[in-house]
Amino acid sequence: NAGVTQTPKFRILKIGQSMTLQCTQDMNHNYMYWYRQDPGMGLKLIYYSVGAGITDKGEVPNGYNVSRSTTEDFPLRLELAAPSQTSVYFCASSPGLATTDTQYFGPGTRLTVL
Amino acid sequence: AQTVTQSQPEMSVQEAETVTLSCTYDTSESDYYLFWYKQPPSRQMILVIRQEAYKQQNATENRFSVNFQKAAKSFSLKISDSQLGDAAMYFCAFREYGNKLVFGAGTILRVKS
């Protein structure tokens, strides 16, 4: 199993450009998450999904959109990139709400907006 | 909303010695889960240890153990026999409803040889 994969690993955007960060998991997990990590800080939840077709906002959703058409994929869309969105983005997944469920993280995407 | 506080931005430890990383949290829930994650320079998030709040016994994973004080809302991580490979950023995290994680700001651990 590859686990959680993210593409691209690095990206530089100009202000106002758009892009989609890809996230795929091959563990058949129901729950998927997007976090951002600003320099020297902990991760903050952007959006999450409890299954295909169901998404909800996290702590910092402004400037982002998500969709979940399949169990495996959970792309994150930036419509009008701003310097404040310079960050490292992590995708994660977990089986569900069982007490032993752990979140599995992807390797991250480093995004710079200039 | 739950909050997680890590008051030590940076810690240093000599190889083979023991170090303790602090974490406090705030919640009104009675049943929850707490985690310590390790983030090495590769940026990969690695689960170190997990504690279930209803269990009084402190969790242990090899050289890693926690001191969970529910009444004080404290959840510290002890690393024994520190190794060079332990050098990383360590995050304390609280799991709230929906399996969503709330992270602290992190503690950078440096290991001296």
Side-chain angles (χ1 to χ4, degrees):
Chain A
N1 285 351
V4 180
T5 57
Q6 293 182 236
T7 56
K9 291 185 178 180
F10 304 93
R11 183 73 185 270
I12 298 175
L13 284 181
K14 294 182 179 179
I15 294 173
Q17 286 185 320
S18 301
M19 78 163 294
T20 299
L21 282 65
Q22 302 291 345
C23 175
T24 300
Q25 53 92 8
D26 62 0
M27 298 173 282
N28 201 33
H29 285 173
N30 290 319
Y31 284 65
M32 295 188 74
Y33 312 83
W34 274 106
Y35 294 91
R36 61 177 285 174
Q37 182 183 21
D38 296 332
M41 303 294 290
L43 283 68
K44 292 187 177 181
L45 184 64
I46 305 171
Y47 271 96
Y48 67 102
S49 170
V50 302
I54 306 170
T55 62
D56 206 349
K57 296 178 180 178
E59 182 183 359
V60 290
N62 291 344
Y64 307 94
N65 281 301
V66 294
S67 59
R68 183 102 182 265
S69 57
T70 67
T71 299
E72 296 79 17
D73 301 307
F74 190 41
L76 178 71
R77 178 82 177 164
L78 283 72
E79 290 294 347
L80 293 171
S84 61
Q85 293 178 304
T86 294
S87 191
V88 179
Y89 292 83
F90 289 95
C91 179
S93 72
S94 68
L97 287 178
T99 57
T100 56
D101 282 350
T102 298
Q103 289 192 21
Y104 297 83
F105 285 82
T109 294
R110 181 178 294 275
L111 175 66
T112 301
V113 182
L114 300 175
Chain B
Q2 279 70 230
T3 59
V4 177
T5 303
Q6 293 179 249
S7 58
Q8 306 154 316
E10 189 171 328
M11 294 283 285
S12 292
V13 64
Q14 199 71 33
E15 201 174 1
E17 296 293 309
T18 296
V19 65
T20 298
L21 308 183
S22 300
C23 174
T24 58
Y25 59 94
D26 187 26
T27 182
S28 57
E29 299 179 17
S30 59
D31 194 15
Y32 47 87
Y33 297 84
L34 295 161
F35 305 83
W36 278 98
Y37 278 86
K38 172 185 178 182
Q39 186 181 47
S42 67
R43 292 203 314 256
Q44 183 69 46
M45 294 291 286
I46 302 167
L47 178 64
V48 175
I49 200 165
R50 168 178 51 214
Q51 175 76 41
E52 299 169 57
Y54 68 89
K55 289 187 176 180
Q56 294 185 345
Q57 186 174 7
N58 289 325
T60 300
E61 290 286 345
N62 300 315
R63 297 182 295 107
F64 298 87
S65 62
V66 300
N67 183 5
F68 174 50
Q69 302 289 329
K70 190 173 184 179
K73 297 181 180 176
S74 171
F75 182 58
S76 60
L77 175 70
K78 186 172 81 171
I79 306 174
S80 304
D81 186 25
S82 296
Q83 301 174 0
L84 294 177
D86 294 334
M89 175 80 92
Y90 286 82
F91 292 101
C92 177
F94 178 100
R95 192 179 96 172
E96 57 180 17
Y97 179 78
N99 204 13
K100 295 177 287 184
L101 293 175
V102 177
F103 287 86
T107 297
I108 298 172
L109 178 65
R110 304 191 190 281
V111 181
K112 302 175 183 176
S113 60

